[in-house]
C-alpha cells in the first residue's frame, strides 16, 4: 500500500491543475477511484465524488484538486516529495481517497463520501455547488495542511471589499483647491484599518479583526488631481462576529466620514463574504481524530485555529454539520516554490483518516 500511495500522489502532482483547469486531474481521480472499488460520479461543475458503504452515519472527506498557478519539478529528495500541490492540498486528497478505499471490502456500518472539489483557490464554486446540491453528511473532514499531529478547529471569516472614492478633478499645479481621491482613499483605508469591535480580543491573532490593503487603482499621468481611486481590502473576521456585522460597522464609519467630507463620494462593494467558524473541542469528530492521531503517531494532538478562511467555513456554516480540517504538511509551504510533503507524514495521515472514521462511527453509534 505504501508504494501505491506514493505513486498515486506522485501522479497527481505531475498533473498541472490550477483553478479552472481541473479536467485532467478530475478524470484521473475518477478512474483511480473506480479502480479502487468506489462508486464514482462527477457533478455539473467537475467535482469528483466517490462513495462506499451505506446507512448512517454519512462521513464526508473533502479535498480540492486545484492548485495555484505555477509548476515545481516533481521529485523525491530526502524522503520529501516535491511538487505544486504537495502540501496544498493534493497529499490530503490522495490520503482521503486511499483511506476511503480501505472500507470497500469491509462491512462498514455507515457511508463514506470522498470528494475532490474544483476552484478552492479561486472563487470556491466547487464547494458552493456541493452545498447547493443537497449533500447532507453527519460529519465532514476537510483535507488541508494542519500538520499530521494537529487538528484545525477554527477559521476566521473573510470580507473582501472594493471601495471607490470620487472627487472633483482639477489641475495638479493647484492641489490645494481640490480633494485628491487617492489621498481620500487612504483616509478611508485608515478608518478600516483601525476598526475594532467589542466582541473581539485585540491581543489575539485569531480573535481579532485584521485587514490588508491588497490593491490600489487611481490617478493618471497627466497634470490632474486624481478624481477617482479604487482600493481593494481583505478583512478577516473572528468568531463570534459575523462578517455582515463588520460590514455594517464599516458602513457606519464611512457614512460618518462622508458627512465630515461632503466633497468626497465613497462607494463600497462586497466582492466576497464568508462567516468565521469554530468547532467545539470536545465534539465527537474532534475526539475521534484525536484518538486516531494518538494511536498512529503516539503523540497528543494539538488543536489549532487559523487566521485564514477555508471550505470548512462554507459547508459548516451552511449545513450546520460538525466539521474539522485535517491533513499532512506544513502550511507555511503553501504556494511557495519549495512546496513539499514528508512522505512518512503523508502515509501516516492515511492511517489517521482511517482510524478516525472507525472511531467516529463507534462514538456515533454509542451516542457519546
Amino acid at each position: 500500500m505504501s508504494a501505491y500511495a506514493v505513486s498515486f500522489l506522485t501522479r497527481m502532482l505531475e498533473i498541472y491543475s490550477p483553478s479552472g483547469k481541473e479536467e485532467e486531474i478530475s478524470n484521473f481521480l475518477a478512474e483511480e477511484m473506480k479502480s479502487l472499488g468506489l462508486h464514482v460520479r462527477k457533478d455539473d461543475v467537475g467535482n469528483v465524488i466517490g462513495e462506499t458503504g451505506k446507512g448512517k452515519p454519512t462521513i464526508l472527506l473533502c479535498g480540492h484538486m486545484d492548485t495555484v498557478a505555477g509548476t515545481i519539478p516533481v521529485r523525491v529528495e530526502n524522503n520529501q516529495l516535491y511538487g505544486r500541490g504537495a502540501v496544498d492540498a493534493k497529499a490530503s486528497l490522495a490520503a482521503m481517497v486511499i483511506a476511503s478505499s480501505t472500507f470497500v471490502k469491509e462491512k462498514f456500518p455507515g457511508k463514506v463520501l470522498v470528494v475532490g472539489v474544483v476552484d478552492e483557490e479561486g472563487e470556491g464554486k466547487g464547494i458552493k455547488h456541493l452545498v447547493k446540491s443537497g449533500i447532507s453528511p453527519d460529519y465532514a473532514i476537510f483535507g488541508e495542511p494542519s500538520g499530521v499531529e494537529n487538528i484545525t478547529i477554527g477559521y476566521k471569516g473573510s470580507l473582501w471589499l472594493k471601495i471607490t472614492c470620487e472627487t472633483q478633478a482639477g489641475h495638479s499645479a493647484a492641489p490645494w483647491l481640490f480633494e485628491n481621491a487617492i489621498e481620500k482613499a487612504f483616509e478611508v483605508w485608515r478608518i478600516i484599518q483601525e476598526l475594532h469591535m467589542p466582541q473581539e480580543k485585540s491581543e489575539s491573532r485569531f480573535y481579532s479583526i485584521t485587514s490588508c490593503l491588497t490593491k490600489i487603482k487611481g490617478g493618471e499621468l497627466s497634470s490632474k488631481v486624481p478624481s477617482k481611486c479604487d482600493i481593494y481590502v481583505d478583512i478577516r473576521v473572528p468568531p463570534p462576529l459575523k462578517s455582515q456585522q463588520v460590514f455594517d460597522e464599516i458602513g457606519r464609519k464611512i457614512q460618518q466620514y462622508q458627512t465630515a467630507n461632503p466633497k468626497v463620494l465613497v462607494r463600497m462593494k462586497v466582492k466576497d463574504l464568508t462567516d468565521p467558524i469554530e468547532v467545539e473541542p470536545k465534539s465527537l469528530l474532534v475526539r475521534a481524530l484525536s484518538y486516531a492521531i494518538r494511536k498512529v503517531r503516539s503523540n497528543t494532538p494539538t488543536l489549532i485555529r487559523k487566521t485564514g478562511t477555508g471550505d470548512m467555513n462554507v459547508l459548516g456554516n451552511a449545513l450546520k454539520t460538525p466539521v474539522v480540517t485535517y491533513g499532512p504538511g506544513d502550511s507555511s509551504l503553501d504556494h511557495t516554490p519549495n512546496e513539499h510533503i514528508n512522505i512518512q507524514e503523508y502515509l501516516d495521515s492515511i492511517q489517521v483518516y482511517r482510524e478516525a472514521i472507525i472511531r467516529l462511527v463507534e462514538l456515533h453509534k454509542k451516542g457519546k
Side-chain angles (χ1 to χ4, degrees):
M1 178 61 78
S2 295
Y4 169 76
V6 174
S7 172
F8 178 44
L9 176 56
T10 300
R11 284 179 288 159
M12 287 178 64
L13 295 178
E14 289 171 342
I15 299 173
Y16 185 55
S17 57
S19 302
K21 298 181 179 179
E22 300 97 339
E23 184 174 2
E24 183 180 357
I25 193 167
S26 69
N27 290 337
F28 167 78
L29 274 179
E31 290 303 315
E32 203 70 17
M33 286 183 187
K34 288 177 185 177
S35 72
L36 290 169
L38 297 168
H39 300 286
V40 182
R41 62 185 175 87
K42 289 176 70 174
D43 66 18
D44 294 340
V45 299
N47 295 329
V48 180
I49 303 166
E51 180 180 324
T52 188
K54 59 183 179 180
K56 292 286 188 176
T58 297
I59 301 167
L60 169 67
L61 304 181
C62 185
H64 62 93
M65 300 180 289
D66 63 316
T67 68
V68 294
T71 60
I72 297 172
V74 178
R75 64 195 189 278
V76 175
E77 294 179 5
N78 300 319
N79 203 40
Q80 312 292 325
L81 178 56
Y82 288 75
R84 175 60 70 219
V87 174
D88 186 19
K90 290 183 178 180
S92 296
L93 180 55
M96 287 176 159
V97 170
I98 295 172
S100 300
S101 72
T102 64
F103 297 108
V104 168
K105 295 181 180 180
E106 298 181 8
K107 292 183 179 180
F108 181 68
K111 180 188 294 185
V112 178
L113 295 174
V114 57
V115 180
V117 298
V118 300
D119 198 42
E120 191 273 346
E121 301 287 1
E123 297 180 356
K125 70 178 182 181
I127 190 66
K128 291 174 182 176
H129 182 82
L130 196 65
V131 169
K132 291 179 181 178
S133 71
I135 192 169
S136 57
D138 297 293
Y139 307 95
I141 303 174
F142 285 90
E144 292 280 1
S146 59
V148 73
E149 295 179 358
N150 305 322
I151 305 168
T152 304
I153 63 168
Y155 280 103
K156 280 186 169 181
S158 63
L159 175 60
W160 294 354
L161 299 178
K162 175 186 177 183
I163 299 171
T164 302
C165 290
E166 293 184 285
T167 59
Q168 181 181 345
H171 201 289
S172 60
W176 57 88
L177 295 177
F178 306 95
E179 302 286 7
N180 186 314
I182 294 177
E183 293 174 357
K184 295 303 172 182
F186 269 94
E187 291 177 0
V188 172
W189 158 238
R190 292 301 176 197
I191 291 171
I192 295 172
Q193 192 178 37
E194 295 170 4
L195 176 71
H196 292 288
M197 298 179 70
Q199 298 94 325
E200 64 175 313
K201 299 176 183 177
S202 58
E203 73 281 0
S204 167
R205 295 290 190 191
F206 182 74
Y207 290 108
S208 61
I209 297 170
T210 60
S211 53
C212 180
L213 182 59
T214 59
K215 183 179 178 181
I216 306 169
K217 181 181 179 182
E220 301 176 20
L221 294 176
S222 59
S223 300
K224 288 175 62 178
V225 174
S227 61
K228 183 179 180 180
C229 181
D230 296 326
I231 61 173
Y232 295 78
V233 182
D234 180 353
I235 301 163
R236 298 299 166 133
V237 180
L241 286 164
K242 299 294 186 183
S243 294
Q244 185 66 46
Q245 287 178 274
V246 176
F247 176 74
D248 292 343
E249 182 63 18
I250 292 171
R252 284 190 287 271
K253 295 283 188 182
I254 289 180
Q255 186 58 52
Q256 293 171 3
Y257 175 83
Q258 285 216 243
T259 301
N261 296 268
K263 293 182 180 181
V264 183
L265 174 62
V266 184
R267 290 181 282 112
M268 281 200 307
K269 181 178 181 180
V270 176
K271 305 294 287 184
D272 190 56
L273 184 151
T274 303
D275 280 329
I277 190 166
E278 186 174 20
V279 180
E280 168 56 49
K282 295 182 180 179
S283 69
L284 296 187
L285 188 51
V286 175
R287 287 164 55 193
L289 259 173
S290 297
Y291 167 86
I293 291 169
R294 286 193 298 269
K295 182 174 181 179
V296 175
R297 297 284 294 186
S298 300
N299 278 323
T300 300
T302 300
L303 305 184
I304 60 177
R305 298 163 178 84
K306 292 194 173 186
T307 57
T309 307
D311 282 350
M312 174 172 154
N313 299 63
V314 178
L315 188 139
N317 285 318
L319 303 184
K320 309 303 180 186
T321 296
V323 294
V324 294
T325 293
Y326 173 80
D330 178 357
S331 62
S332 69
L333 296 172
D334 291 3
H335 306 181
T336 70
N338 193 39
E339 186 175 0
H340 61 273
I341 190 81
N342 179 278
I343 291 175
Q344 190 57 54
E345 287 194 6
Y346 160 60
L347 295 175
D348 284 351
S349 72
I350 298 171
Q351 294 304 313
V352 171
Y353 285 124
R354 174 178 163 79
E355 294 295 337
I357 291 169
I358 294 171
R359 183 61 173 166
L360 182 57
V361 171
E362 292 174 353
L363 292 173
H364 179 86
K365 299 292 187 183
K366 292 177 181 177
K368 294 183 179 180

